[in-house]
Amino acid sequence: MDGFYNYRMNFDRKNFNNDELIHFYRSILLPRMIEEKMLLLLRQGKISKWFSGIGQEAIAAGAAMAMEADEWIMPLHRNLGVFTTRKMPLARLFLQWQGSQDGYSKGRERSFHFGSKEYAICGMISHLGPQLGIADGVGLAYKLGKKKKAALVFTGEGGTSEGDFHEALNTASVWDLPVIFLVENNGYALSTPVSEQYRCESLVYKAEGYGMQGVRIDGNNILTVYDTLRGVREYCIKYQRPYLVECMTFRMRGHEEASGLKYVPPSLLEDWGRKDPDEF
Amino acid sequence: MTDERIGRIHDEIRQYIESELAAVSSDTMVVAPDTAAELRDVYAGELRAGEELQAEVGEASGGEGLGGNVGSSDGVGSGSQGETGLRSETGPSDGVGSPAEADTSGGAGTPAGTGSPYERSTFRRRPVREVAKSIAMAAPVPVATAVPVPESAPVAVSTQANASSPVTMSMPVAPPQVPAGPVSEKRLLDAVREGLRQSMQHHAQLILMGQDIAEYGGAFKITEGFLEEFGKERVRNTPLCESAIVGCTLGLSLEGYKSVMEMQFADFVTSGFTQIVNNLAKIHYRWGQKADTVIRMPTGAGVGAGPFHSQSNEAWFMHTPGLKVVYPSTPEDAKGLLIAAINDPNPVLYFEHKMLYRSISGPVPEAYYETPIGKARRVRAGEDITIITYGAGVHWAIEYAEAHKDISFEILDLRTLLPLDYEAIRAAVGVTGKVLVLHEDTLTGGVGAEVAAWIGEHCFALLDAPVLRCASLDTPVPFNIELERNFLAKSRLDGFVRRLTAY
């Protein structure tokens, strides 16, 4: 058994036992295999388009696993792993993607643009940045209620350019809110590369500007993501402070299927393909 | 772990996915369209769902009027937005729906059974008494039983739907029904403060947020003394982050809190615009989550404060389905509407006119009471010209009427701009047949445009003259006090009245 992890990747198993490791593997494999099925269904015209998280599953799944089930998560559009980790029934998710009356939004919203109070998931907004401020409000509610909980909100490297990123991090810091700001740095905002998005060496440097701590991690290693987020969550609750996590990853498919990947240098896809988070 | 074991895990997951897909039965699963035409069917399915929704709304509200508020119009009446799921939100709602279509020919001010425009001469000059009778019949019933009581204390309801004096002067109509108990004279500013303070006492889970609202007491001193009474956790100074703070109101709502955010000036709301029109307004429609918050909007011109501290921007929000927009003109309504807005689980934009804060006083019940959202107020009854207005316009209209006793004015204070009280508008139109819509906001695309269009569409047979709009100039609000006077609609009111009387 041990040989497998060393053979597939030079893996630090971080004191997890085999059953736990298999649980991680299942958690990351499920969203990948669902999306592979969705790709087929899309080509058959059975579901509407969505925004693929293929190649980024370790972040959504690992981060969601690090949170308690009743702690609010504010995901974005590539975070199927959040929905599967929260164990939302897959059949109803398919109905959602079909725009069915029986989907989570009764046909009123597309793909992952919905939430569910039952699963403590607050649906995304296409403007991206405004998700961050909602997390502040949840963090404030936890703080006022003296609950030992933290809020987790996702954004991308593109979202960090929005004014909402600044406002939300600033407010969370000034008000000492237990909020985890997670940046999925996946290289492109639709076709805009990071070189046209920001000029700091690492987005995590922005944390210091808001007087909060942050860390940059390998977003394609689910154990790293989980381990980091678990620790960050404890920090946020114990010290009643926000925290910024920059997860380095790559978007392996188009912004959505129809727009393709022509603007991405093939070498980048090759490099990141070798770091596929699902290849243990 | 062997490759064989990995293969087994893959197989298990694949079987799970296929079994879940099988549960999505073939009759709900859209049948494999491989062509563009069939693909369109997928979206047609979505459209059909939307059409059904519209039909439900039409049925529930008895016709036109509520269509624009799908998804968030059920606040007063059900009080359970967010808990009831997506379908129930379109159910029998808050009693503010307009009359059924048939009412166009049989409602207030129109003889039953008519409806053809050719018959208009038969009722264009109906005796005022007859009209007044029909209005009385159409008058809204008290809604005390329908008001949601979030905690346990009883909520008194001010049902002064038929008339009351906002400030002064003798009124030819009945006095307002105000809650029992003492009434005291208050400025509009003090009434807002009292409504807010009583709401804070009533709702332990109500949080106030805004720039300089704590120690400083707010730019207009509305929250003076609140920090001492309610503590810094519930009375929160904010950084200059309008968008994040509106976002906070939504986050608090996810966890069951209520909140009131004070925009320091209504002009600054643009910095939180997306959060309001895209998050607060749409979230319940999208996935059934309530946005239980009130945004206070100190608004309006008249004090020489220039383009960024004087704007009227209520029309932006009136155009946004999912929001409620209230705009009191009297101290009594200011208190009652604020309490109602806070009790309402929907997002409410609460406009308070800065110029009226200290210039307008009136009787205010000391009890904790609601003024119902979605109900206009008949300020005075008249026979010659109807002025439909709100906010500062109410006081301009009263002042003008007092100075021109030779003309008999029917004045309607809309009080709520979204949803509009179409029943009251129709009744007010029917009384005189000559309608002027008056407001401080600029003309093009303003509230008056919507009201005038609705009257033209639904009350044509009641009209004896074109519906006129008296609004401010289509420019930014100028600083110089003389320029500002010229900008404001009030400076042109006389001309519009003269035009109407000529018909």
Side-chain angles (χ1 to χ4, degrees):
Chain A
M1 295 280 278
D2 287 345
F4 161 73
Y5 295 102
N6 296 325
Y7 145 77
R8 292 283 172 155
M9 193 185 271
N10 195 10
F11 223 98
D12 173 8
R13 56 185 295 161
K14 297 185 192 291
N15 297 322
F16 293 113
N17 66 35
N18 287 346
D19 285 343
E20 288 167 337
L21 289 173
I22 288 170
H23 180 56
F24 279 114
Y25 185 54
R26 286 176 177 278
S27 299
I28 198 172
L29 196 57
L30 178 59
R32 169 68 58 89
M33 291 182 69
I34 291 172
E35 279 211 53
E36 285 171 353
K37 182 72 183 180
M38 289 167 78
L39 287 171
L40 283 173
L41 293 172
L42 179 73
R43 281 162 179 69
Q44 294 168 355
K46 291 184 178 177
I47 57 172
S48 62
K49 78 173 185 182
W50 78 101
F51 305 88
S52 173
I54 287 179
Q56 305 177 211
E57 296 96 333
I59 301 168
M65 289 171 78
M67 307 302 290
E68 297 299 311
D70 61 350
E71 285 174 314
W72 282 97
I73 297 179
M74 278 38 74
L76 286 187
H77 47 305
R78 300 190 194 285
N79 296 137
L80 172 58
V82 169
F83 296 80
T84 53
T85 303
R86 285 273 158 103
K87 297 187 169 55
M88 292 179 97
L90 187 51
R92 197 163 171 210
L93 281 173
F94 274 110
L95 290 167
Q96 166 68 22
W97 300 325
Q98 292 180 317
S100 163
Q101 184 75 20
D102 299 319
Y104 282 97
S105 69
K106 315 257 180 198
R108 294 174 179 183
E109 260 292 13
R110 61 194 303 191
S111 60
F112 294 103
H113 300 56
F114 72 97
S116 164
K117 191 170 182 128
E118 186 185 353
Y119 295 92
I121 293 174
C122 178
M124 74 158 290
I125 168 168
S126 302
H127 309 63
L128 312 176
Q131 283 289 78
L132 298 154
I134 301 175
D136 283 355
V138 172
L140 177 58
Y142 291 158
K143 188 180 191 71
L144 294 175
K146 299 195 169 25
K147 293 184 175 175
K148 294 194 184 311
K149 294 182 193 299
L152 168 65
V153 58
F154 286 75
T155 196
E157 87 285 349
T160 66
S161 301
E162 291 187 70
D164 273 307
F165 178 82
H166 162 73
E167 289 198 12
L169 269 69
N170 185 60
T171 299
S173 189
V174 171
W175 283 2
D176 294 317
L177 302 177
V179 178
I180 305 167
F181 296 99
L182 189 157
V183 179
E184 284 188 80
N185 190 334
N186 70 358
Y188 284 84
L190 210 166
S191 74
T192 305
V194 294
S195 60
E196 295 179 35
Q197 195 68 251
Y198 60 86
R199 277 296 158 89
C200 49
E201 196 176 311
S202 168
L203 289 169
V204 78
Y205 293 165
K206 296 195 176 198
E208 196 174 340
Y210 299 108
M212 71 172 73
Q213 295 195 44
V215 65
R216 179 190 227 188
I217 61 170
D218 175 6
N220 279 21
N221 183 326
I222 191 170
L223 300 186
T224 301
V225 172
Y226 173 85
D227 206 41
T228 304
L229 266 289
R230 198 71 200 162
V232 165
R233 177 183 170 277
E234 282 169 20
Y235 165 91
C236 290
I237 292 169
K238 181 176 178 186
Y239 296 101
Q240 289 293 295
R241 289 293 297 163
Y243 202 98
L244 178 67
V245 183
E246 180 184 15
C247 299
M248 304 308 292
T249 185
F250 202 75
R251 196 190 72 207
M252 296 302 287
R253 302 201 69 86
H255 172 65
E256 35 79 44
E257 282 309 303
S259 60
L261 277 172
K262 280 182 183 161
Y263 46 84
V264 179
S267 61
L268 265 179
L269 290 168
E270 283 167 28
D271 289 349
W272 282 96
R274 281 192 289 275
K275 300 176 195 164
D276 186 344
D278 280 37
E279 283 295 321
F280 277 68
Chain B
M1 190 155 76
T2 60
D3 284 350
E4 188 194 342
R5 178 81 186 270
I6 293 171
R8 274 212 308 277
I9 292 174
H10 276 78
D11 288 343
E12 283 167 26
I13 292 178
R14 193 170 293 115
Q15 279 166 19
Y16 165 67
I17 292 172
E18 292 301 335
S19 69
E20 288 287 300
L21 266 175
V24 180
S25 66
S26 54
D27 53 325
T28 55
M29 190 79 172
V30 181
V31 181
D34 218 353
T35 67
E38 285 167 320
L39 192 61
R40 272 201 301 277
D41 287 344
V42 175
Y43 297 102
E46 278 191 47
L47 288 177
R48 276 197 295 278
E51 285 159 8
E52 281 165 20
L53 175 78
Q54 289 299 328
E56 288 168 28
V57 170
E59 208 175 295
S61 67
E64 81 286 324
L66 258 186
N69 305 318
V70 174
S72 247
S73 58
D74 58 346
V76 179
S78 83
S80 57
Q81 187 219 52
E83 267 67 57
T84 52
L86 282 163
R87 288 195 72 86
S88 61
E89 76 191 56
T90 59
S93 49
D94 49 4
V96 298
S98 54
E101 189 59 39
D103 240 356
T104 308
S105 57
T110 320
T114 63
S116 161
Y118 299 107
E119 295 175 53
R120 60 196 290 267
S121 59
T122 60
F123 52 84
R124 63 189 302 180
R125 278 294 171 208
R126 295 174 61 208
V128 171
R129 224 171 295 125
E130 185 191 335
V131 176
K133 191 177 163 193
S134 64
I135 289 171
M137 289 167 67
V141 293
V143 294
T145 52
V147 173
V149 183
E151 256 79 25
S152 54
V155 184
V157 177
S158 165
T159 52
Q160 39 143 1
N162 255 349
S164 83
S165 161
V167 260
T168 50
M169 42 213 109
S170 58
M171 285 293 170
V173 278
Q177 299 172 29
V178 294
V183 173
S184 57
E185 191 82 357
K186 282 192 169 59
R187 298 175 301 174
L188 190 131
L189 173 107
D190 303 318
V192 174
R193 180 187 294 130
E194 187 167 282
L196 199 55
R197 174 176 283 129
Q198 289 182 358
S199 294
M200 285 291 276
Q201 291 162 348
H202 195 76
H203 298 285
Q205 299 277 81
L206 174 60
I207 309 296
L208 305 185
M209 298 183 284
Q211 291 157 22
D212 308 296
I213 67 163
E215 289 86 353
Y216 187 68
F220 299 98
K221 303 297 175 190
I222 294 279
T223 53
E224 198 161 49
F226 277 44
L227 179 68
E228 292 74 18
E229 185 174 352
F230 302 108
K232 64 182 180 189
E233 288 199 325
R234 295 180 63 202
V235 183
R236 306 185 71 86
N237 274 342
T238 73
L240 308 190
C241 294
E242 283 84 358
S243 186
I245 302 306
V246 179
C248 265
T249 68
L250 184 50
L252 284 167
S253 187
L254 293 179
E255 276 292 300
Y257 284 80
K258 284 179 175 286
S259 57
V260 175
M261 178 193 175
E262 175 178 304
M263 284 290 165
Q264 194 158 68
F265 286 82
D267 309 64
F268 302 162
V269 74
T270 42
S271 298
F273 202 61
T274 273
Q275 292 283 24
I276 294 173
V277 305
N278 285 314
N279 255 339
L280 298 185
K282 296 178 176 56
I283 195 164
H284 187 251
Y285 176 82
R286 294 170 62 233
W287 54 279
Q289 170 61 46
K290 67 180 172 182
D292 192 352
T293 190
V294 176
I295 313 284
R296 285 185 39 234
M297 302 277 280
T299 190
V303 291
F308 301 133
H309 293 79
S310 309
Q311 290 174 81
S312 296
N313 50 27
E314 61 273 13
W316 298 347
F317 303 99
M318 186 194 186
H319 189 63
T320 305
L323 298 177
K324 293 187 177 184
V325 180
V326 300
Y327 199 148
S329 69
T330 69
E332 181 184 331
D333 288 348
K335 178 179 169 182
L337 276 172
L338 182 57
I339 290 170
I342 291 168
N343 286 339
D344 193 309
N346 294 284
V348 182
L349 277 282
Y350 177 91
F351 284 84
E352 46 198 69
H353 199 296
K354 304 188 295 282
M355 179 77 176
L356 305 184
Y357 270 155
R358 293 176 171 82
S359 66
I360 297 297
S361 295
V364 178
E366 289 176 9
Y368 176 73
Y369 66 95
E370 285 191 0
T371 300
I373 294 175
K375 296 291 178 200
R377 179 177 60 93
R378 192 180 187 190
V379 177
R380 63 159 65 189
E383 299 173 15
D384 298 326
I385 286 177
T386 296
I387 299 181
I388 298 175
T389 183
Y390 60 93
V394 174
H395 302 287
W396 297 343
I398 291 169
E399 186 186 319
Y400 187 91
E402 284 299 303
H404 298 81
K405 301 260 190 191
D406 53 321
I407 309 171
S408 173
F409 287 95
E410 171 87 15
I411 301 176
L412 185 71
D413 178 0
L414 291 171
R415 299 199 294 190
T416 297
L417 303 180
L418 187 65
L420 279 171
D421 186 350
Y422 293 107
E423 197 176 337
I425 292 172
R426 184 196 301 276
V429 172
V431 173
T432 69
K434 295 180 180 180
V435 182
L436 175 63
V437 189
L438 169 68
H439 58 61
E440 177 179 324
D441 194 4
T442 52
L443 179 73
T444 304
V447 172
E450 177 59 33
V451 172
W454 188 86
I455 293 171
E457 197 172 342
H458 298 277
C459 309
F460 182 70
L462 300 175
L463 293 172
D464 287 329
V467 180
L468 300 186
R469 290 173 295 153
C470 180
S472 296
L473 297 178
D474 280 330
T475 70
V477 186
F479 164 66
N480 176 288
I481 204 74
E482 198 49 40
L483 289 177
E484 187 184 49
R485 193 197 59 74
N486 180 61
F487 161 86
L488 288 171
K490 186 184 178 186
S491 65
R492 284 174 295 283
L493 178 54
D494 184 60
F496 278 93
V497 172
R498 300 279 159 219
R499 272 178 68 189
L500 266 188
T501 48
Y503 279 95

